[in-house]
């Protein structure tokens, strides 16, 4: 059960980071300064990490079904 919870929370975290990465790339396409891209990346890593940990806490409290 622990591994299943860890995998589910990691998937959520990676999705958030991927969305942030694509947003950072779009900021470069739209000719924003490079600092904006770096800030978007840092914030997406921060939010991704927090969302992964909060999801893990949620699944430990709620329980998780197989599948």
């Amino acid at each position: 059960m622990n591994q299943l919870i860890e995998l589910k929370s990691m998937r959520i975290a990676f999705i958030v980071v991927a969305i942030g990465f694509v947003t950072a790339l779009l900021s470069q396409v739209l000719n924003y300064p490079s600092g904006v891209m770096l800030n978007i990346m840092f914030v997406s890593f921060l939010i991704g990490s927090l969302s992964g940990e909060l999801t893990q806490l949620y699944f430990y409290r709620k329980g998780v079904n197989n599948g």
Side-chain angles (χ1 to χ4, degrees):
M1 183 169 115
N2 290 336
Q3 188 176 12
L4 183 62
I5 290 173
E6 185 178 337
L7 288 172
K8 285 181 179 244
S9 64
M10 194 181 307
R11 180 180 62 186
I12 301 276
F14 282 151
I15 288 171
V16 171
V17 170
I19 290 170
F21 183 75
V22 170
T23 305
L25 288 178
L26 284 175
S27 74
Q28 288 301 292
V29 170
L30 297 173
N31 292 325
Y32 286 107
S34 297
V36 172
M37 180 191 78
L38 289 174
N39 284 330
I40 292 171
M41 292 291 292
F42 290 142
V43 169
S44 70
F45 284 129
L46 174 73
I47 294 173
S49 177
L50 286 175
S51 67
E53 294 298 324
L54 290 174
T55 304
Q56 201 169 23
L57 181 65
Y58 172 76
F59 280 130
Y60 273 119
R61 286 185 175 264
K62 175 192 165 220
V64 64
N65 297 329
N66 292 337

